[in-house]
Amino acid sequence: MEILTLQNICFSYGKVPVLKDVNYRFETGKMYCIIGRSGAGKTTLLSLLSGLAKPDGGSILYDGKDVAKLDKYAFRSKYIGVIFQSFNLLTKFTAVENVMLSMDIAGVKGKNKRQRAMELLAGVGLDEDEANRRVLKLSGGQQQRVAIARALSYDPQIILADEPTGNLDGETQKEIMDIFRSLAQQGKCVILVSHSPEVAAACDEKYELQKLSGKKEPKEKAAS
Amino acid sequence: MYLFKNALKCIGRAKGRNILIGIIALVIAVSACIGLSIRQAAESAKAETLEGMSVTAKISFDRQSAMQGMRPSADGASGGTQSGAFDREQFRTLMNGGTSLTLDEYQTYAAAESVQDFYYTLTAYFDGSDELEPVSSESETESESSAGAPGGGMSPGRTKGDRMGNMATGDFTVIGYSGDNAMTAFQTGSTTIADGVVFSEGTTERQCLISEELAAYNELAVGDTVTLANPDSETETYTLTVAGIYKNTEANDLSVSMFGVGQDPANQIYLSAAALQGILDASASASETTTDAATGQETETAVGSSLSATYVFADADAYHRFEEEVRTLGLDDSYTVSSADLTAFENSLTPLNTLSTMAGWFLLVILLIGAVILIVLNIFNIRERKYEIGVLTAMGMKKGKVALQFLAEILVVTMAAILIGAGIGAVSAVPVTNALLANQVESQQSSQLQLENNFGRGGNFKGGLQTAPDNLPTGGRGGFAALGQNVSNYVTEVNSAMNLTVLLQLLGIGLLLTLAAGAVSVLFVMRYDPLKILANRD
């Protein structure tokens, strides 16, 4: 089932074009990889997909509805789970509190939120002790798992991950990719943004972004 | 709800920062609490004193205003002179002719609705006789001389038509009271009966009260008779029966006797106003009129008297209403209504009011400085938490909610500090207020004393002559003895300063400061873009 569609997406930083006429389709139950060289606009595209930025032209359709017409906060908190490259976790909170807060923001109802959060953390391989630890006291891989659990906390259809294996060792990379694979098998649409050929090879489909001519590297980098 | 839980978590996990904000808020709260308490104490002291105070007032002739009316204006025209100079003759005529109101006039104004009670005293001066000599430290010769030439060497008698003014003085001050309520010295207990009883209220019988000193000096007892003579006509005598002997519980200031033996409280004789009026009427009937060959001025020998009427009011408001009512009842503008009680009351509050004003300014400065510090701290706080704002908004939390959470955090910290501050303030406000008040009273008194010393009145007359009631004897302060009293009985202590009003004001201040600081949070949160924050961090 097609869940996310990009129609003629254009984006530029000032007069410097970054994305032009991008047309991608994403379905549930599949793993996608958006690859490209540095400066090709991968992170910019991820920002557009996650609702943090608006395209200059074209439209993004979520389940057939124009994202621009949806409440951007509701879109971010309920419909799409984003795993940022630097995880963007609340460092003063514990792993389980991060997940629970995400549920609260999404408006998830129910009394056993803590138990659900613990289950999600267990699902990504964190035990109870790790779940109750402050995020800053967790390793990069563990933080990545917390970020994944947080993205899954409100059960979105789309999981978006920016360089999910960038800072991880080989073994952990494999474990993380296995989690994404299982999520796709559970019917989620998993979109990974990466420059790694290994990650691209592990996905069902890949979209390659080409660096547009005249694009200035520093500006795109600053924004991403 | 999760916002509040999140706010509490954030407070707990940034203890250092919140303790710092809390300490600043606490200092503001304690200072504000004490400042507000001082102001409240001043208000309460005023309200409480006014509540329990019955106000008395007198109507008196405004001489200054009358003189002003007789002064020529720049172009030579004036209401009272043709020649362009101050019309002394007209002034004398006015002053001699009847500036004091008659008893009937006083009683007309007593009918005003605001008046709760009314009484008056009649005062006249008499000389003694062989069996009644005034208490005096002066030699017999001087006393005789004084008696022989009353009024400081003035010729006997007084100008015809002079109802009250230029009253001759004698060895004794005879005061007639309209009723028991007029005998305020007995009411307050500053004077009590040592032997016998007080004459019946309103009696026309010539029964009098004499002082213990006078009784001892002349070996008089209750039931004895005493004879008083008209200072202007020694053959005109009046016999009174001693109904009682009174004693002053307050110390007498003997220095007042330098104004004449008649002014000595020991030489005051009390009787009912009706009885004294009877004597005065008899004296008027027996009066002889003589004409000065040189000036043509007529003088008469009738005993002169002065009338002092006092109006009593339930409260200060009634007194203020009375001021308007008497004008409606026809009181001329050249008369003023004044209340020595209210004046003394206002004087008594001077240090507290000064302290209250200072506390007000102190409060304002504290609040301004406090607000600036809290706002600056909050700006640092928000900038430090920029990343957190970025993460929360990227997770889909609305900016308004983020701002609300930050507001809740600062509100919890400042309110907790304010409650603790209110507690500390409640304990310390009274002693601090009293200490500051004592300081203020001391400085007020020393400056007053310095002023008196500068005028050479630093001795026995603390209050000075100028602060004594103008219409003596009043009966309310034991006659002339009031001269020696210091009217500056300042409020030197407050019992309670902190109350619900202060607490509410304090909470209001806390809320105001929080909102001021919180408004900055809202502004910052609203202008932050999560994408830029997170991208910059990456």
Side-chain angles (χ1 to χ4, degrees):
Chain A
M1 188 188 89
E2 191 170 305
I3 188 77
L4 200 65
T5 313
L6 304 187
Q7 291 179 337
N8 304 317
I9 292 296
C10 298
F11 191 86
S12 56
Y13 290 103
K15 289 181 181 174
V16 183
V18 181
L19 301 170
K20 193 177 177 187
D21 292 330
V22 176
N23 289 284
Y24 296 157
R25 290 166 187 277
F26 303 98
E27 291 180 7
T28 51
K30 283 188 176 177
M31 261 176 88
Y32 296 88
C33 184
I34 298 171
I35 59 165
R37 291 171 56 198
S38 289
K42 298 189 296 295
T43 305
T44 301
L45 186 62
L46 182 131
S47 299
L48 293 171
L49 290 173
S50 61
L52 287 169
K54 281 183 180 174
D56 296 337
S59 50
I60 300 168
L61 302 178
Y62 169 78
D63 202 14
K65 285 167 278 192
D66 191 346
V67 171
K69 291 177 183 166
L70 294 173
D71 176 359
K72 61 181 177 183
Y73 292 105
F75 179 71
R76 280 183 223 155
S77 64
K78 290 177 185 170
Y79 306 135
I80 191 160
V82 185
I83 300 146
F84 295 95
Q85 187 173 4
S86 55
F87 319 130
N88 289 348
L89 297 167
L90 292 172
T91 51
K92 283 172 192 157
F93 283 23
T94 62
V96 70
E97 282 169 348
N98 266 279
V99 178
M100 284 168 69
L101 178 63
S102 180
M103 289 177 175
D104 285 329
I105 293 171
V108 175
K109 306 285 179 197
K111 289 180 180 174
N112 52 353
K113 276 187 233 171
R114 189 176 182 86
Q115 191 189 334
R116 168 83 184 126
M118 292 301 276
E119 284 168 9
L120 283 168
L121 289 165
V124 292
L126 292 176
D127 60 29
E128 196 177 338
D129 177 51
E130 289 161 338
N132 286 313
R133 228 182 273 170
R134 294 261 182 105
V135 165
L136 271 185
K137 294 183 178 173
L138 296 174
S139 69
Q142 287 168 327
Q143 286 187 33
Q144 179 75 296
R145 290 166 204 267
V146 177
I148 294 170
R150 185 180 68 179
L152 295 170
S153 64
Y154 41 90
D155 198 23
Q157 289 282 71
I158 305 164
I159 298 292
L160 198 58
D162 188 9
E163 300 288 2
T165 58
N167 302 319
L168 306 177
D169 60 74
E171 183 63 27
T172 313
Q173 273 185 35
K174 190 180 173 304
E175 284 172 16
I176 295 294
M177 288 305 291
D178 288 345
I179 292 169
F180 286 131
R181 169 56 61 196
S182 83
L183 287 174
Q185 285 168 352
Q186 288 166 31
K188 308 276 182 204
C189 169
V190 179
I191 304 168
L192 308 177
V193 177
S194 177
H195 62 270
S196 161
E198 289 84 5
V199 171
C203 292
D204 301 319
E205 287 186 37
K206 64 175 182 182
Y207 291 114
E208 190 167 352
L209 281 171
Q210 296 298 326
K211 191 174 176 181
L212 297 178
S213 58
K215 202 196 290 183
K216 288 182 181 174
E217 193 85 20
K219 281 195 176 176
E220 196 260 346
K221 193 178 174 184
S224 51
Chain B
M1 186 62 191
Y2 81 89
L3 280 183
F4 191 68
K5 278 201 282 186
N6 220 30
L8 290 180
K9 261 184 219 164
C10 289
I11 291 169
R13 286 169 197 182
K15 287 190 191 78
R17 180 182 63 210
N18 288 307
I19 285 172
L20 183 64
I21 293 175
I23 287 171
I24 290 164
L26 185 70
V27 171
I28 297 170
V30 173
S31 313
C33 184
I34 290 173
L36 286 170
S37 297
I38 290 171
R39 291 181 70 78
Q40 186 60 38
E43 286 300 314
S44 303
K46 196 173 175 180
E48 281 165 19
T49 315
L50 274 178
E51 202 176 322
M53 189 171 95
S54 70
V55 180
T56 62
K58 288 178 185 298
I59 297 176
S60 50
F61 182 68
D62 189 353
R63 197 170 66 175
Q64 204 172 12
S65 159
M67 289 180 80
Q68 200 70 34
M70 290 174 191
R71 195 164 290 163
S73 58
D75 58 2
S78 88
T81 183
Q82 301 295 323
S83 62
F86 183 79
D87 192 342
R88 289 178 185 157
E89 193 55 40
Q90 191 193 352
F91 179 70
R92 276 195 207 106
T93 310
L94 180 69
M95 296 309 287
N96 291 337
T99 55
S100 298
L101 297 174
T102 63
L103 182 58
D104 284 347
E105 285 170 316
Y106 279 125
Q107 280 170 333
T108 305
Y109 304 130
E113 278 181 22
S114 52
V115 177
Q116 190 183 50
D117 198 6
F118 167 74
Y119 57 81
Y120 62 93
T121 57
L122 266 175
T123 306
Y125 294 93
F126 286 87
D127 274 350
S129 54
D130 292 340
E131 73 276 18
L132 180 68
E133 286 187 13
V135 177
S136 172
S137 55
E138 293 171 18
S139 69
E140 192 72 14
T141 318
E142 283 169 337
S143 180
E144 285 301 317
S145 164
S146 167
M154 286 194 302
S155 60
R158 58 200 172 89
T159 311
K160 190 174 169 71
D162 176 5
R163 226 164 38 199
M164 313 288 169
N166 290 344
M167 192 166 61
T169 56
D171 294 337
F172 296 98
T173 303
V174 179
I175 303 170
Y177 293 103
S178 63
D180 289 350
N181 54 353
M183 303 176 77
T184 48
F186 286 86
Q187 304 270 5
T188 58
S190 61
T191 302
T192 53
I193 287 290
D195 194 13
V197 287
V198 175
F199 44 79
S200 309
E201 208 174 1
T203 182
T204 52
E205 288 178 28
R206 292 177 182 175
Q207 291 179 329
C208 69
L209 302 179
I210 59 170
S211 69
E212 270 188 327
E213 294 100 311
L214 189 64
Y217 198 77
N218 291 283
E219 295 177 357
L220 292 169
V222 172
D224 290 351
T225 56
V226 292
T227 305
L228 295 171
N230 181 345
D232 294 330
S233 174
E234 285 181 27
T235 53
E236 185 187 325
T237 57
Y238 301 95
T239 306
L240 309 178
T241 308
V242 177
I245 296 170
Y246 68 84
K247 62 174 177 183
N248 282 324
T249 52
E250 286 176 2
N252 286 330
D253 190 344
L254 293 175
S255 57
V256 294
S257 61
M258 71 181 174
F259 293 103
V261 289
Q263 312 292 13
D264 191 328
N267 294 329
Q268 288 182 347
I269 297 174
Y270 304 148
L271 69 164
S272 88
L276 181 56
Q277 190 59 54
I279 294 172
L280 294 172
D281 290 345
S283 177
S285 304
S287 176
E288 290 171 10
T289 306
T290 55
T291 308
D292 190 301
T295 62
Q297 197 173 45
E298 289 185 335
T299 53
E300 58 183 11
T301 59
V303 175
S305 67
S306 73
L307 176 65
S308 171
T310 305
Y311 300 92
V312 182
F313 308 95
D315 50 39
D317 287 342
Y319 162 71
H320 293 304
R321 282 204 305 279
F322 179 69
E323 286 179 308
E324 292 167 12
E325 285 172 359
V326 288
R327 301 296 171 200
T328 319
L329 289 169
L331 183 68
D332 195 73
D333 284 343
S334 52
Y335 290 89
T336 55
V337 180
S338 58
S339 170
D341 305 338
L342 274 186
T343 309
F345 160 70
E346 278 159 15
N347 284 344
S348 73
L349 287 178
T350 307
L352 194 55
N353 281 338
T354 310
L355 196 62
S356 172
T357 310
M358 282 164 59
W361 284 110
F362 171 70
L363 191 64
L364 195 68
V365 171
I366 283 287
L367 290 185
L368 283 176
I369 294 174
V372 169
I373 293 175
L374 274 182
I375 288 171
V376 169
L377 266 180
N378 212 35
I379 290 173
F380 281 116
N381 178 24
I382 296 295
R383 290 180 67 85
E384 194 186 302
R385 296 174 71 182
K386 209 170 169 181
Y387 165 72
E388 192 180 332
I389 297 167
V391 171
L392 288 170
T393 45
M395 283 165 72
M397 191 165 170
K398 288 183 178 171
K399 283 181 178 179
K401 285 188 175 178
V402 178
L404 206 63
Q405 182 193 311
F406 280 43
L407 203 63
E409 285 179 33
I410 194 158
L411 191 69
V412 168
V413 175
T414 47
M415 283 299 154
I418 277 172
L419 285 178
I420 297 169
I424 297 171
V427 174
S428 59
V430 171
V432 169
T433 306
N434 283 337
L436 290 172
L437 191 57
N439 234 349
Q440 191 62 36
V441 168
E442 198 182 318
S443 122
Q444 198 87 21
Q445 279 174 339
S446 68
S447 70
Q448 194 181 5
L449 194 65
Q450 184 60 48
L451 190 71
E452 295 299 327
N453 283 334
N454 291 348
F455 279 84
R457 299 179 192 127
N460 293 324
F461 299 95
K462 287 179 220 159
L465 282 168
Q466 75 278 28
T467 56
D470 52 359
N471 198 0
L472 288 171
T474 64
R477 282 179 176 269
F480 221 165
L483 275 177
Q485 293 177 2
N486 186 351
V487 294
S488 304
N489 292 319
Y490 297 126
V491 172
T492 53
E493 207 168 85
V494 292
N495 297 325
S496 65
M498 180 85 181
N499 60 13
L500 189 66
T501 314
V502 172
L503 189 66
L504 289 176
Q505 284 174 334
L506 204 59
L507 288 175
I509 285 170
L511 205 61
L512 206 70
L513 286 180
T514 308
L515 289 178
V520 178
S521 316
V522 175
L523 282 177
F524 272 75
V525 170
M526 287 307 190
R527 72 184 184 92
Y528 279 155
D529 179 4
L531 183 61
K532 282 182 185 169
I533 296 171
L534 299 178
N536 285 340
R537 186 175 166 85
D538 288 342

